[in-house]
Amino acid sequence: MKVAIIGSGFSSLASACYLAKAGYEVALYEKNSQVGGRARQLKTKGFTFDIGPTWYWMPDVFEKFFQDFGKRVEDYYQLEKLSPAYKVFFGQNNAVEIADSLAQIEQTFEEIEPGSGKKLHSFIDEARNNYEIAIKDLVYRPGDSILELITPKTVLKVSQFFSTISKTVKSRFRDKRLQQILEFPILFLGAKPSNTPGFYNFMNYADFGLGTWHPKGGMYSVVEAMEQLAIELGVTIHINATVEKINVVKGKVTGLQVNKKNILADIVLSGADYHFTETLLAPNLRQYSEQYWNKKTFAPSSLLFYVGFDKKIAHVKHHTLFFDAPFEEHAIEIYDTKKWPKNPLFYASFPSITDDSFAPKDKEAAIFLIPLAIDLEDTPEIREQYFEKIITRFEKITNQSVREHILVKESFCVNDFKNDYNSYKGNAYGLANILTQTAFLRPKIKSKKVKNLYFTGQLTVPGPGVPPSLISGKIASDKISKENKL
């Protein structure tokens, strides 16, 4: 039985591996010249940049994925635990470093706010418990029914689904810096902490409990590992392969039109943008209307800069966050007023601090990211204006001059997300994980209108992020295997 997969992001590669292992004949079609979807790589003038994700969290999910094939992570790439995990600037001479052990983080909290070390300990205990429930009981479920969420353990957590991360954090910690550090991981779920159920504090356990890691060679080495595994399992991968249409006869898929040629397939699975995938069907075969998508709360888009410096950068860590601007104002501009931020928070990654492969000797590779509202006007002039904003603040906060040391500068923003990934309104992370878009309330893995058409990725279950994308690939492949016996 032939399965054609659209796209080659983490969810597509994961599902390709599982389906090939189950005995299906799997071919994967990627429109770009590199596999990886949003996790592609840029190499220029001796510098290397991860174009998309740069954080390696929840290492247990990656381990489980490779174990499912009798493999280990270390068979494919080497991991290093970052110490410190990251640094957060709240202004000039005002920074907090997050260590690589919970005991040290508790000590840091205690120094900032007496009494908060013990509070953090109990908060992370709860978060660990939620993490175990989420990973063992919930996230590997297909989102077919509300009953998937009702287990003896989740019933005890009902109140947490109707409270928010923001309320939980602010009720326990008074110092604004500590509040922001605890709210920060929720940004990976693509929503405001004030809109995210308290149960999702399991992300704080992912952060403080499991730590922040770096795969040697960057996140793209994970893509290459999954690509290698897929090929070992017999998956055929086609790059520069643009899918123009999903072919349907009498309500059932018959294959794809790729680069103007028809490809036969018994099953089609799309890891491409869900909204875009449905535009490859006749309007009467689409499950979700434009109005449906327009009403959804999307995770942010991003303005990214890939910068190569001709010197090493001081006073920063591999992952460095700049929270020297008002958090709430920026969140309102992303989700509510949906406009370019006046004074944005931003994130910077310096992978060459940890990994020599990212930059020539005595030089530094940097990635700067500003979270943005989706569908904003995107011009070279606006991008440049925002680069100036953040580099001016960067120089002031870190007490150094870097502008004249730039050798390489590339950018990626809303228009690129649309053009390169067919991303709905240029979103970077998919659908936000708010209560009304959780589990069975997300777009479905299986089409109700077209037989043997399935979906995977960050617009369906379980949600945004790299580990959830791996899990989504497994959920989709399990559903296909269950419903299409070989």
Side-chain angles (χ1 to χ4, degrees):
M1 203 176 274
K2 290 184 178 180
V3 182
I5 299 179
I6 306 172
S8 68
F10 286 110
S11 56
S12 292
L13 286 169
S15 51
C17 291
Y18 284 113
L19 289 165
K21 183 192 172 197
Y24 294 87
E25 188 182 327
V26 182
L28 191 147
Y29 299 91
E30 168 56 56
K31 77 186 275 284
N32 293 309
S33 58
Q34 258 184 348
V35 298
R38 285 164 163 80
R40 291 179 301 155
Q41 190 182 60
L42 169 66
K43 283 181 181 271
T44 178
K45 297 180 182 173
F47 292 91
T48 299
F49 304 94
D50 279 319
I51 290 179
T54 54
W55 291 78
Y56 192 101
W57 271 8
M58 300 167 70
D60 51 326
V61 173
F62 295 88
E63 283 162 18
K64 183 182 184 323
F65 171 77
F66 286 102
Q67 281 166 5
D68 285 347
F69 302 92
K71 305 284 187 181
R72 298 171 308 161
V73 161
E74 54 267 38
D75 294 335
Y76 294 95
Y77 55 90
Q78 298 306 308
L79 279 179
E80 181 179 341
K81 194 175 190 191
L82 296 182
S83 180
Y86 53 91
K87 182 173 185 174
V88 189
F89 279 103
F90 294 95
Q92 209 169 8
N93 306 315
N94 183 3
V96 177
E97 285 188 11
I98 298 301
D100 70 343
S101 83
L102 185 53
Q104 287 172 285
I105 299 168
E106 285 172 15
Q107 197 177 326
T108 300
F109 270 53
E110 190 63 31
E111 285 164 10
I112 292 169
E113 181 184 310
S116 66
K118 269 189 180 171
K119 288 179 186 173
L120 180 64
H121 190 88
S122 67
F123 180 76
I124 296 299
D125 271 351
E126 284 171 28
R128 180 190 290 109
N129 184 248
N130 286 354
Y131 187 86
E132 285 168 4
I133 292 169
I135 294 298
K136 287 177 185 165
D137 289 356
L138 300 180
V139 295
Y140 285 91
R141 302 194 178 196
D144 290 336
S145 156
I146 190 172
L147 298 176
E148 293 171 12
L149 292 179
I150 302 167
T151 72
K153 289 178 180 174
T154 57
V155 164
L156 302 173
K157 305 276 183 180
V158 166
S159 62
Q160 291 185 25
F161 282 95
F162 294 96
S163 182
T164 68
I165 288 288
S166 200
K167 277 183 189 165
T168 309
V169 166
K170 283 169 182 163
S171 69
R172 300 189 197 195
F173 303 92
R174 292 187 310 278
D175 190 280
K176 273 204 165 14
R177 289 168 298 173
L178 299 186
Q179 290 173 0
Q180 287 193 13
I181 288 166
L182 287 168
E183 288 179 342
F184 147 68
I186 303 313
L187 302 178
F188 284 95
L189 300 173
K192 286 197 291 189
S194 56
N195 277 352
T196 303
F199 179 78
Y200 283 98
N201 73 349
F202 64 72
M203 290 298 292
N204 294 112
Y205 175 67
D207 178 359
F208 292 174
L210 299 174
T212 302
W213 300 75
H214 172 72
K216 187 162 175 52
M219 289 300 283
Y220 199 69
S221 64
V222 185
V223 171
E224 291 175 321
M226 294 177 72
E227 178 188 23
Q228 188 185 330
L229 176 60
I231 291 166
E232 287 166 10
L233 292 162
V235 176
T236 308
I237 296 174
H238 304 272
I239 55 170
N240 300 311
T242 301
V243 177
E244 294 135 349
K245 189 181 174 192
I246 297 170
N247 294 328
V248 180
V249 174
K250 294 179 181 173
K252 184 179 178 182
V253 295
T254 57
L256 301 172
Q257 183 182 305
V258 182
N259 294 345
K260 301 190 168 60
K261 289 182 185 169
N262 284 328
I263 310 287
L264 293 176
D266 303 293
I267 296 160
V268 169
L269 169 63
S270 179
D273 179 275
Y274 203 126
H275 168 270
F276 164 74
T277 302
E278 289 216 311
T279 68
L280 302 174
L281 297 163
N284 63 312
L285 298 176
R286 297 170 193 170
Q287 298 178 94
Y288 303 108
S289 65
E290 287 298 320
Q291 189 182 16
Y292 170 89
W293 292 111
N294 204 37
K295 282 182 175 174
K296 289 288 160 194
T297 300
F298 273 79
S301 187
S302 299
L303 169 54
L304 294 125
F305 296 101
Y306 311 103
V307 184
F309 293 101
D310 69 4
K311 67 166 189 174
K312 299 305 279 183
I313 305 297
H315 315 307
V316 294
K317 298 298 177 188
H318 184 126
H319 294 299
T320 308
L321 301 159
F322 291 83
F323 285 3
D324 56 307
F327 188 92
E328 278 302 316
E329 273 177 35
H330 190 179
I332 287 165
E333 287 161 333
I334 292 171
Y335 293 102
D336 303 332
T337 57
K338 295 183 181 170
K339 60 184 184 184
W340 279 93
K342 193 186 276 185
N343 199 15
L345 285 74
F346 65 98
Y347 153 68
S349 172
F350 302 91
S352 46
I353 289 175
T354 306
D355 189 336
D356 291 341
S357 69
F358 278 83
K361 190 171 162 45
D362 298 324
K363 297 183 172 57
E364 202 87 89
I367 300 160
F368 295 90
L369 181 152
I370 303 172
L372 298 174
I374 57 171
D375 217 21
L376 292 176
E377 181 191 8
D378 172 17
T379 66
E381 293 75 22
I382 294 173
R383 294 187 191 194
E384 194 52 39
Q385 180 191 334
Y386 276 82
F387 184 74
E388 281 303 310
K389 266 183 196 272
I390 63 170
I391 212 70
T392 300
R393 275 166 53 197
F394 180 85
E395 288 184 323
K396 184 181 175 188
I397 290 165
T398 63
N399 295 306
Q400 65 193 311
S401 176
V402 298
R403 234 190 216 87
E404 64 274 22
H405 294 279
I406 294 171
L407 291 176
V408 168
K409 189 178 83 175
E410 304 272 350
S411 64
F412 199 93
C413 197
V414 173
N415 290 348
D416 301 301
F417 282 103
K418 290 177 182 177
N419 296 334
D420 289 9
Y421 311 131
N422 297 306
S423 168
Y424 180 74
K425 294 189 176 181
N427 80 82
Y429 306 104
L431 272 179
N433 251 337
I434 57 175
L435 185 61
T436 54
Q437 294 178 178
T438 292
F440 69 100
L441 296 170
R442 295 179 76 79
K444 299 298 181 195
I445 288 268
K446 182 186 179 184
S447 172
K448 288 177 185 167
K449 293 198 173 182
V450 180
K451 193 168 191 254
N452 287 0
L453 173 60
Y454 298 83
F455 300 84
T456 186
Q458 50 194 10
L459 267 71
T460 182
V461 289
V466 178
S469 292
L470 294 187
I471 293 166
S472 187
K474 177 162 174 51
I475 294 169
S477 59
D478 284 350
K479 197 166 183 65
I480 288 169
S481 300
K482 193 175 166 187
E483 295 180 357
N484 299 270
K485 299 271 190 252
L486 286 173

